[in-house]
Amino acid sequence: MSLPSLPTPSTFSVAVAKQEFKFNLAHFVAFPGFRERLHGHNYHMSITLHSSQISKNDGYVLDFGDVKTAVRKICKGMNERVVIPTKSNVLTISSLPATPPSNQPHISLICEDGSLFVFPLDDCLLLPLVHSTVEEMTLYIYGRVLAELGAESLLARDISEITIAVAEAPGQEASVTLKVLPDFDVDRWEETGFNGAIVKGGEVKPCGAGEYGITPLPTPPAPALPPHPAALTSEGGGEETNLDWVETALLDDEIRARFIAAVSDPQLYTDAELAQLQAGLLMEAEVSTNRSRLTEASGLSQKAILKTIKTSSLLDNAVAMVSKDGRENVVQASGTIRASFMSVVAYMFVAEQGHHQITKEEQGINQHRVVQHENDHALVFHWGFNMPSPVSDRDGVFRCITQKLEDDCIMSAESIEHDQAPHQDGVVRIVARRLLRFSPVSPTVTRFTATSTFDFRGSIPVFVSKSFTTPAAARAPLAALRYFNQVKRAEAFEAADAKELGQLLVLDTDDVRGKRDPDPLEAKLRTFVNRSAVLRGARSTCPWIEVMLKEVLRNRLRVPKGCDKALAEITEGDARKAGRAFANALVANATAEAAVDEWVMTYPALGGLEERYDFVRPMMNAVGGAILAQVAWGVKFRAFLGAGVSWADTASDAYMVSDFFATGRSGAAAGLLAMVGANLGAQSLIVYMQTQGLKKDKWRSMLFEFLTVITFSKPGVDAYRVASGVEQQAGAAFAPLKEMVATKMSELVFEAAPGLVLQMVALMTAERMSKTAILSILISVASTALTATTMSYDMETDPGYKKRNREWMGIIPDLGRTKAFATIFVMCACQACAKAMATALLVITNRSWFVYYFMADHALHLAYKIARRDIVYAPAPMPPVASNMLAPIIRVVFKVVVDFTGTPTFRVPFIHGGGYWLFSLASSQASVFLAVYLYSTYAPPPGGGAEKIDADTLWKGAIALASAWALAFGYLASRVAVPRLRHTLWSTGSGRQAMRTVLNRESDEGKFVVFNFNRLLWESDLGGEVRVWTLENWARWKAESQPWFKAEKVPDEFIPAGELQQLGHNRKRRGSAAGSIRESYREEGGESG
């Protein structure tokens, strides 16, 4: 019997992947139009050798030891370096000679976007790559492996192919399999771009003949700049040409490279130049050290300076001092420029030769010319500007020297005399010293600080210095900010740039917006659009955008006219209607964001405009915020209304306290005072929680906030912050809107509701009906209703709340918001009056009955919540112990607010629930009839000569209140409420069911909202699902750096083990219940439901 034939092996493979086969590199990928930020990876590699046979001598394909030795050597050579792709087509790579103090050569990279990187040569890994991607690295490592193992030796062992695999992160790996060729030349392999694998056709872009293939920087004569814009003509586009000229100069590689080399080498500076730079640094240090003294001496606060130059939201800060005779000025101002570090430096040095000639004339600067180019880092210029009559005009001649320091760059200007800039008759020459400092914040953001001392010679009225010369000296950072915002193209324009654009639009038209004649505004707006690259682009497709913006900036209240046309159909007349409607939207909304939301929803064409241009929405938000802060009916009106209503309510309470004491009812007076005190105490607790974690000016802020509490003006201050778009301070517990809601709830629970009941009891038991007492009650009802209505209105129209809770919030439509406000106000007023009347009648009839009723009502509510496992308040991610301790208290507070106001916002499932909210409202209305019956039947005579109120009067009042409430609610449900959210008015969904709805959302951003809620509400039912979803997506979220992904919100159990260890030092542990609340709200930044 014959044996079956055995199979013949076709391929042997040996794979080696050891833990030590790793190297750490920093890199960024760059190609035309794109550059990553500098970052790093922990790379791991493996190697596989393929052969058709094994050696008959030793039985190996290849000894593992030989492979490991070669790979370890390669990894060691690549470890802890910065990858420099020497064949890049978008990087200008240069070698810098060794200079003190390091005395070692450096490599500089200038990117396509203007970013500059300088690294010590010893820290660089110069690789023959076009892009520093892991794919191209595999090709480089393949060549290194063949060089180490020897191609001929491998072929002798019949190893025909090698696979190189490199992973930059777990699950992210690139590999290449290549044949082993005889006569392999690793140098030729790298010179040809790996046989054309990364360079088309096998031709390599030459990098130069210098060492490492990097071109050393020559020192040629200065290249000529493009023609000055004054020599160019462009009909209707002078400003446009002017900016394009500067941008061309900035993007010229030869100019930039030579300039960077010139300002980076200290040996190129003379002793006199170094002395001037040192004097500028000393002056800056003195001003920075004495900032508070300067402000006190000048009588000019930072706020006053920023207000004077109208840039409080664009510049970071400013200080100044003006001498008594007005001639001496010291100014320091700083701003953040959204451009790369070296771009800002080059702008100030190169572009100053021609840029802003037009804008300088607009600012009263009548002369700005370069007198002499002394060298590559120093120039002399002559600057003259007009002064208001009768003050003589001023001029100055300055030598400006630029130097690149280790971490930033400085530019020092100092007064000199020069033959080519002689004194002029009638013009006073000033003496000044100025230091401009540019510090990189990130690859695309630069901090710009300008410090100046001026002696204007001769006596100048102090008011002229404060209103003219001081602001002019502080505008340098603003000028740079404006320039880079104007030249930035649409593809690079981000939301922060758009916000700046809107603020600049309002700032640059501020002096003409209030005039009746629209022509000056039209001219300034056209100039502004001409200078802005993104607005010019929008105008090319939407020529009516200027007309719309003009009407927006005029900001006149008119009867709005609708327009339902699409973007492609809109005419200039339609654009005018839309622009005029913006003012009405601002009036009807608490914040600029909510106003823009309503405005865009009203006009479909605007929705199409923002879909086409991402910058439109944030720009209009900024425009709206700036307008609201200025107009009488905007932020100021809302602040005065909030404070006025609070003061009126306080005044009526004070009168009633006085009246109670005068008529011998000291118990009622003490009760009302106790309620006011309880409200002040609760608001003080909110202030403490809000301010005790502040990073800056903690005690000053806390003192101010306490002052607003005891003066009863906190509601107005909170309303001002919300309407003006004030952002949450670093370390603050609540966002402004959440702080305002907390303050209003405190006022409702501790003062408004019980005070209203107390006043009604006093009125019903008095000998006579006092008109003043009735007026006080009406004021309290109006105050309570207005507080509840504005609280609901602000939250239901806030774009952020609507987005995060879109299944429940946003019941107020985008159109007809004034009608919605009035409807909710009537409903809340009827609810407040009915509940207070029922409670007062029950208290008068039998106080024990009232206590039983109150306890039974709240016990039923708590039992309902407990039965549905819904007792924990959802949007408060506190520890379990604190959650369970505070849950009943929070639920009682919410029930009181709902019973006495009926505020619609509390209908959401994770607060009260639509079904129980409606039941509470209806039962409160029904309780009035029960109370009238009990009062009429069982109440004893008041005594003291007073008489019981006539039953018919009470029945008529109860019917009137119930009817008015029913009509208001019916109108809200049927005509006002957004149709898709009407069911939330009676829905029986619970908080736990709401969490399921959140997790059913399609986007990860929408699902991530679950971490804003108390984990006790979802962990038992959905914890496993949430954990799997989080672990599966964590690495991707982290890599994408999405703004909504906040690791600190996620409980430890839901974070991958490795990530948790890295995050450990940032994750705070909470102790007390008060600290839990404060920290949880601080983490969510006001973003919970």
Side-chain angles (χ1 to χ4, degrees), residues 931-977:
V932 169
Y933 168 76
L934 294 174
Y935 173 82
S936 302
T937 307
Y938 299 104
E947 295 182 358
K948 288 178 65 173
I949 302 175
D950 181 61
D952 289 342
T953 302
L954 293 176
W955 285 115
K956 289 177 182 178
I959 293 171
L961 285 174
S963 301
W965 176 85
L967 288 173
F969 176 79
Y971 191 73
L972 173 69
S974 62
R975 303 298 297 274
V976 173

Side-chain angles (χ1 to χ4, degrees), residues 759-786:
Q759 291 184 64
M760 280 197 173
V761 170
L763 178 67
M764 293 177 180
T765 57
E767 294 182 15
R768 59 183 179 84
M769 290 285 188
S770 168
K771 292 182 179 179
T772 306
I774 295 174
L775 177 61
S776 178
I777 290 175
L778 292 176
I779 290 174
S780 294
V781 169
S783 173
T784 301
L786 184 62

Side-chain angles (χ1 to χ4, degrees), residues 42-193:
N42 298 323
Y43 294 89
H44 287 79
M45 69 164 288
S46 63
I47 179 173
T48 304
L49 307 175
H50 306 279
S51 174
S52 60
Q53 62 181 3
I54 57 177
S55 171
K56 295 181 180 179
N57 293 329
D58 51 29
Y60 296 151
V61 171
L62 187 65
D63 190 337
F64 284 137
D66 295 340
V67 178
K68 288 189 287 186
T69 299
V71 175
R72 286 193 190 107
K73 182 178 179 181
I74 294 169
C75 290
K76 183 177 180 180
M78 297 178 70
N79 192 38
E80 296 182 351
R81 303 291 181 90
V82 180
V83 177
I84 308 296
T86 60
K87 299 183 184 300
S88 170
N89 57 353
V90 292
L91 300 178
T92 301
I93 307 173
S94 308
S95 65
L96 301 178
T99 57
S102 65
N103 291 318
Q104 58 177 306
H106 285 68
I107 294 294
S108 76
L109 284 76
I110 303 177
C111 306
E112 191 181 37
D113 62 2
S115 302
L116 169 70
F117 297 91
V118 178
F119 302 105
L121 179 60
D122 288 345
D123 290 355
C124 297
L125 179 64
L126 295 101
L127 298 183
L129 314 178
V130 177
H131 315 94
S132 57
T133 61
V134 68
E135 290 87 346
E136 293 189 23
M137 286 186 196
T138 61
L139 296 170
Y140 167 77
I141 292 173
Y142 165 82
R144 293 288 105 190
V145 168
L146 286 191
E148 292 296 329
L149 295 177
E152 296 300 332
S153 298
L154 295 176
L155 291 172
R157 300 183 70 93
D158 204 30
I159 298 174
S160 57
E161 288 183 342
I162 297 179
T163 297
I164 304 294
V166 180
E168 63 180 15
Q172 294 177 213
E173 178 183 276
S175 63
V176 63
T177 301
L178 294 170
K179 293 184 179 300
V180 179
L181 301 177
D183 302 322
F184 178 82
D185 185 342
V186 67
D187 294 331
R188 179 60 183 163
W189 170 249
E190 295 177 358
E191 288 173 4
T192 59

